[in-house]
Amino acid sequence: MRSSQTSRSFIWCHSPIAMTESLKAQIDAIGPLRYLISPNKIHYAHIASWAKLYPEASAWASGGVRERSAQQQIQVSFDADLSDEAPPEWKDDLDQVIFRGSRFLTLPGLKTRGFLRVLTLSDLNS
């Protein structure tokens, strides 16, 4: 899991993990959670529980995750689909591209605000 704060002070959460009281307190302390990101079709299982705790957050699906969740009988709904281009909600803070050619399409985020540059990758394997 990785969380980033956007320039509008919203929280972007990449591959949310099982929620704990401590984790919720930390998230709540840094800003309102607005974006739940499934970076690939194996990192989505906790998005539904987070969406219940943060109903104002939108859930974003990577390629294949809707089909995978149906096959695995994991109830999760998504508000939007990710693409190679960062959506307006975070394009000023994060770049993104979908890596293809792996078993799992994966969405990395590259934080570009200020002097900090961080490349986030998930499961780049063949």
Side-chain angles (χ1 to χ4, degrees):
M1 181 182 115
R2 175 181 161 228
S3 295
S4 295
Q5 188 176 42
T6 69
S7 57
R8 291 179 279 179
S9 297
F10 296 144
I11 304 302
W12 179 93
C13 184
H14 177 274
S15 188
I17 60 174
M19 180 60 77
T20 65
E21 287 182 29
S22 173
L23 179 56
K24 184 167 186 341
Q26 291 174 46
I27 295 288
D28 292 346
I30 58 175
L33 180 70
R34 290 291 186 264
Y35 314 113
L36 298 167
I37 311 302
S38 164
N40 61 37
K41 65 183 180 180
I42 62 171
H43 291 289
Y44 64 89
H46 297 289
I47 286 180
S49 61
W50 281 59
K52 287 179 187 173
L53 291 171
Y54 297 98
E56 66 282 0
S58 56
W60 293 73
S62 56
V65 74
R66 292 174 195 266
E67 296 82 3
R68 170 93 176 180
S69 64
Q71 290 170 353
Q72 299 296 313
Q73 299 179 351
I74 295 176
Q75 296 292 318
V76 60
S77 62
F78 293 95
D79 302 299
D81 294 305
L82 295 163
S83 69
D84 276 323
E85 187 173 324
E89 288 86 346
W90 62 78
K91 73 175 184 173
D92 292 338
D93 301 296
L94 296 160
D95 291 332
Q96 68 188 45
V97 65
I98 296 175
F99 279 83
R100 292 168 175 82
S102 144
R103 288 185 335 165
F104 310 110
L105 294 179
T106 190
L107 172 87
L110 176 63
K111 187 165 182 161
T112 59
R113 185 177 53 197
F115 295 103
L116 180 64
R117 297 195 186 281
V118 177
L119 178 63
T120 301
L121 302 172
S122 298
D123 304 301
L124 289 179
N125 55 16
S126 56

